[in-house]
Amino acid sequence: MPRTVVVAGGGISGLAACYHLVKSGSVPKVILVEGSSRLGGWLDSTRTDDGAVFEHGPRGIRPAGAVGKNTLSMVSELGLESEILPVKGDHAAAKNRYLYVRNALHKLPSGLWGVLKTVPPFTNALVWCGLRDLTARRGTLPDESIHGFVTRRFGKELADIAVDSLCRGVFAGDSRALSVRSCFPMLYEAEQKRRSVILGMALSGGKMSQQDSSLIRRAKEESWSQWSLRNGMQTLPEIMEDFLWQRGVEIHKDSPITGLERTSENGWKVMLPSGSVRADHIISAMPAKALSQVVPASLNPVAMELRQIDAVTVAVVNLQYEGAILPVSGFGHLVPSFEDGALLGIVYDSIAFPEQNRTGALSTRLTVMLGGAWFEKDVGDPSRVSDEQLLLRATEAVKNQLGVEEKPSLAIVKLHKDCIPQYTLGHWKRTDNIFRYLEENALPLSLIGASFEGVSVNDCIYNARKAVERLLGQKQVM
C-alpha cells in the first residue's frame, strides 16, 4: 500500500481521485499538484453581483447510468443536495432540442409519432432508419468513424445532420474523424453482440448500479434529464477543495510539473518550479500531451502513444439580453458542420436554469460555442483571434439564427485551448497499449482524466474512483 500518493492535475478528475483517496483512509499522505492558480479545470463559473450565473464550461450533468449515479452519490456525501437544480422530464429544456439546418430551427422528433412521420429537416420518417439498422450487416472493422458507422447502419441523412451535430455538441469534434468504438462504445458493442444496434441496446439492459441514495431515487422518480448547482458548477470543485484541505491533503497551486524521475525505491521524484516532492505512486489527471512532455525517457513507448491523443480548442461566449427574447423554448440548438463550421451551437441557459438568472428585471442568458475541430479553418489562429472577433461571431449567430436584433447587456468571452480530447480512429488501441505497458512493467502510475475513457464530468469522476479502488485493491464501483 503506498504511503504517499501524488495526484497530478487539479481538475475534476484529480479532485475526485483525492476525494476517494482521503475517504479510504488507507493512504497516509496525499499531495495534489496543479499548474494553474485554481482548482476545477473546465468547471468554471462567473457569478455577478445581481445574482446571475454564467457557465464557461460544463453547465449540466446527466444523472443516468452508473456514472451518473456515482456523481450523485458524491454530491450527496459532500452535502450539496439542497444546492441542486434539476431539469425534470416534463420541462421544456428536457423535451425540446433543436437543430439549425438550412437557415431554420427544427425541433428534433420525440415520441412515437415523431418517429413515424416525416419531420424537417429530415426527408424521411426516422422509422425507416431503424428498419435499415435491423437488416444491416455487422461491421467487420476493428474501428470505424462515427459518421461511417451511422451511415452504414441508419443512412447518410441521419449521419450528415443529426449525428454530425451531436458530435459537435458533445466533443466539438468531426464525426468523420471520431471513433465510434471509443466515443460511443455502447453502440459498437451492441452491433457486435446482436448485429443490430437497436436490438443490442434494447436487450443489453445496461450495467446495474448498486449505488443508491435518496438523491438517486429522486432523480429517477422525477425523470431528471440533467442537473446543475444553484451557484454554478464551480461550486463542486470549491466544496471538494475545502473537503480536502480539512482532511490534510497537501495542495500545491501554480506548480506545473516540470519532470518526473524514477527513484531507487521504485517511486517517483516529482519536479516542480519550487523544488520537488516524492511519491510512492502517481495518479496523473494531466492531459495526455502534457504528460508526454514530463515522463522520463524510460517511458518513451508510453509518451509516443500519449502524443497521438489530440484535443481541440473551443471559444465559449456568454451573453445576457434584456427581457425574454427567444422565439422557442428548449435546451438549445446545435448546428451541423455543413451549415456553419465555426458555430457548434447555442445553449438557452435561461430556459434550463432560470434560477441562475439575475434578480429583478427579466433577462435571457445564452451561451454560444465556437470552433472545436473547425477552429483554425473557420474561426482563425487561436493564438491570434481576439475577444472582439469572437464576440462579433457569437452575436451575429444569435441575430441570424434566433432573430435577436438587440445588443447584449453583458458578454463574457473565454477561449479554452485544447479543452476537449479527440478520440479519433484507433484511440482504443492507443489507450490499450498505454495501460498494458504500465501494468506489464508494474509502474506506480495511474492515468485518469478526459484524455482516455470519457470526456464528460461523470466519466471523469467515475474513472478517478475506479483508479483509486484498483490502486488500493478495493472492490470496483458499479
Side-chain angles (χ1 to χ4, degrees):
M1 191 69 65
R3 292 191 57 78
T4 301
V5 175
V6 167
V7 177
I12 192 61
S13 295
L15 286 168
C18 288
Y19 175 80
H20 289 292
L21 285 168
V22 167
K23 259 189 66 180
S24 74
S26 302
V27 180
K29 189 171 185 178
V30 178
I31 302 172
L32 176 60
V33 178
E34 165 58 33
S36 72
S37 60
R38 59 177 291 274
L39 302 182
W42 304 118
L43 291 178
D44 185 15
S45 314
T46 291
R47 301 139 178 163
T48 61
D49 292 338
D50 56 10
V53 177
F54 297 91
E55 299 286 10
H56 312 307
R59 66 211 54 252
I61 297 179
R62 298 180 66 85
V67 294
K69 291 178 179 179
N70 178 65
T71 302
L72 287 175
S73 291
M74 188 182 75
V75 166
S76 292
E77 293 164 1
L78 288 166
L80 285 172
E81 287 196 29
S82 62
E83 297 300 308
I84 283 186
L85 300 177
V87 178
K88 300 178 183 179
D90 58 356
H91 194 284
K95 297 189 297 183
N96 302 335
R97 292 170 185 257
Y98 298 86
L99 295 176
Y100 185 81
V101 182
R102 301 181 188 95
N103 299 316
L105 281 176
H106 302 279
K107 183 178 176 295
L108 281 170
S110 61
L112 180 61
W113 182 238
V115 173
L116 292 176
K117 68 177 182 178
T118 300
V119 179
F122 305 105
T123 57
N124 292 294
L126 294 184
V127 66
W128 296 112
C129 298
L131 292 175
R132 175 173 176 147
D133 170 69
L134 293 174
T135 59
R137 293 182 179 180
R138 181 187 289 113
T140 58
L141 298 174
D143 202 358
E144 191 174 3
S145 75
I146 298 171
H147 188 275
F149 179 90
V150 174
T151 298
R152 178 171 57 80
R153 299 215 61 88
F154 297 97
K156 189 172 185 297
E157 185 175 63
L158 194 69
D160 285 347
I161 299 175
V163 172
D164 176 282
S165 302
L166 174 66
C167 289
R168 281 158 62 83
V170 175
F171 302 100
D174 186 348
S175 62
R176 293 160 182 80
L178 295 173
S179 156
V180 71
R181 181 168 181 169
S182 296
C183 294
F184 298 112
M186 290 181 66
L187 301 184
Y188 175 83
E189 291 166 8
E191 182 189 48
Q192 292 300 307
K193 291 178 180 178
R194 302 287 182 177
R195 192 176 64 82
S196 160
V197 171
I198 293 175
L199 286 178
M201 296 291 287
L203 297 174
S204 68
K207 294 181 180 179
M208 295 298 292
S209 174
Q210 299 172 358
Q211 299 178 86
D212 188 41
S213 70
S214 60
L215 189 60
I216 290 172
R217 291 192 295 273
R218 180 185 160 202
K220 183 178 180 180
E221 291 165 2
E222 297 177 354
S223 302
W224 293 3
S225 67
Q226 60 177 308
W227 57 269
S228 184
L229 295 169
R230 191 170 306 279
N231 290 310
M233 290 308 305
Q234 187 174 317
T235 305
L236 182 56
E238 288 171 346
I239 293 296
M240 295 178 77
E241 179 178 2
D242 185 58
F243 177 92
L244 299 179
W245 271 119
Q246 292 181 24
R247 283 154 183 80
V249 173
E250 187 179 309
I251 300 177
H252 298 261
K253 299 179 188 177
D254 294 310
S255 298
I257 292 175
T258 58
L260 298 175
E261 298 178 5
R262 296 302 310 278
T263 65
S264 57
E265 298 85 11
N266 196 37
W268 296 96
K269 184 179 182 181
V270 182
M271 309 301 295
L272 307 173
S274 59
S276 64
V277 294
R278 291 185 177 272
D280 301 308
H281 193 95
I282 293 174
I283 298 179
S284 173
M286 297 171 64
K289 284 195 173 181
L291 178 62
S292 75
Q293 296 169 3
V294 299
V295 295
S298 59
L299 267 66
N300 191 51
V302 170
M304 289 176 62
E305 300 284 6
L306 291 171
R307 283 193 287 269
Q308 295 184 61
I309 302 176
D310 288 318
V312 295
T313 295
V314 177
V316 176
V317 182
N318 303 103
L319 302 170
Q320 178 177 270
Y321 291 86
E322 299 302 310
I325 50 89
L326 290 174
V328 293
S329 181
F331 180 78
H333 71 259
L334 295 172
V335 183
S337 57
F338 65 78
E339 188 77 30
D340 185 339
L343 183 69
L344 304 174
I346 302 177
V347 182
Y348 313 157
D349 298 301
S350 292
I351 303 296
F353 303 112
E355 302 92 341
Q356 295 177 337
N357 289 345
R358 72 182 185 192
T359 56
L362 190 64
S363 63
T364 299
R365 291 174 300 112
L366 305 174
T367 300
V368 181
M369 300 169 292
L370 300 163
W374 296 263
F375 203 105
E376 291 200 14
K377 176 179 177 290
D378 293 318
V379 180
D381 184 343
S383 64
R384 295 186 177 184
V385 68
S386 68
D387 286 357
E388 290 75 20
Q389 289 174 291
L390 295 172
L391 177 58
L392 180 60
R393 293 295 291 266
T395 52
E396 285 181 342
V398 172
K399 177 181 177 180
N400 295 334
Q401 298 184 9
L402 293 172
V404 179
E405 300 284 347
E406 299 87 345
K407 291 184 178 180
S409 56
L410 185 149
I412 306 171
V413 179
K414 297 278 186 176
L415 183 64
H416 299 318
K417 293 185 178 179
D418 300 328
C419 64
I420 304 181
Q422 300 293 282
Y423 299 169
T424 53
L425 287 175
H427 180 81
W428 70 275
K429 189 63 176 176
R430 288 188 284 275
T431 56
D432 184 60
N433 289 341
I434 292 169
F435 293 136
R436 188 172 64 249
Y437 184 93
L438 297 180
E439 183 178 356
E440 290 176 351
N441 291 275
L443 289 167
L445 174 63
S446 303
L447 303 186
I448 60 175
S451 291
F452 305 104
E453 296 180 294
V455 301
S456 74
V457 173
N458 279 334
D459 289 328
C460 289
I461 293 172
Y462 185 79
N463 290 324
R465 178 175 178 176
K466 287 202 303 181
V468 170
E469 290 174 344
R470 281 194 298 269
L471 173 61
L472 303 180
Q474 298 174 345
K475 184 179 178 181
Q476 292 287 285
V477 63
M478 287 293 292

